[in-house]
Amino acid sequence: MANTETSLKDCLSSIDGATAAALVDYTSGMALGTIGGGKDFNLEVAAAGNTDVVRSKLRTMELLGLKEEIDDILITLGSQYHLIRPIKGRGGNGLFLYLVLDSARSNLAMARHQLRRIENDLEV
């Protein structure tokens, strides 16, 4: 089991094209841990904003009566992929991993696979 800091470092080091990562509490919108980003990309703002995406999707699923779980949410921009993966299992309720990828340097399928592995190893 890996702690938050180790898991986020693993995101940047093991996922090709990863530029930023965060563990976010979508009930409060607070980032519990971040890595990457920088002055041109405020990861705290991005993490807080993406809580609205997760909440909206969960609310829509509830209204539709869908009894499914979100595996991940993908937002594609011109030069980036933003991947949101809700944490499942013990202690992960209300949390998600947020990953920013450079689309020119990443393999989305491999990134999703690696993020799933990191989620499974995460100790919350």
Side-chain angles (χ1 to χ4, degrees):
M1 291 289 161
N3 66 20
T4 301
E5 182 180 344
T6 302
S7 293
L8 293 177
K9 284 181 181 177
D10 196 19
C11 283
L12 290 193
S13 66
S14 70
I15 300 176
D16 290 340
T19 61
L23 178 65
V24 185
D25 178 345
Y26 65 78
T27 57
S28 69
M30 292 185 61
L32 304 177
T34 62
I35 190 167
K39 65 179 176 132
D40 294 331
F41 188 85
N42 187 325
L43 194 50
E44 298 283 340
V45 170
N50 280 300
T51 63
D52 292 334
V53 173
V54 174
R55 289 179 194 155
S56 179
K57 187 59 189 174
L58 289 171
R59 194 170 36 255
T60 301
M61 289 170 59
E62 183 179 343
L63 291 171
L64 291 171
L66 298 176
K67 305 295 184 212
E68 300 276 340
E69 288 185 334
I70 298 171
D71 284 334
D72 52 42
I73 298 170
L74 172 65
I75 300 167
T76 59
L77 305 177
S79 63
Q80 296 177 336
Y81 297 131
H82 292 227
L83 194 54
I84 299 167
R85 182 163 184 85
I87 304 292
K88 297 174 180 74
R90 65 187 183 290
N93 194 26
L95 302 178
F96 67 88
L97 283 168
Y98 172 58
L99 180 65
V100 180
L101 300 159
D102 178 331
S103 61
R105 298 184 304 120
S106 63
N107 176 321
L108 188 54
M110 286 302 298
R112 291 180 69 216
H113 175 73
Q114 288 294 96
L115 197 57
R116 188 176 314 116
R117 182 192 54 79
I118 291 165
E119 174 204 352
N120 289 335
D121 291 344
L122 179 64
E123 181 180 297
V124 183

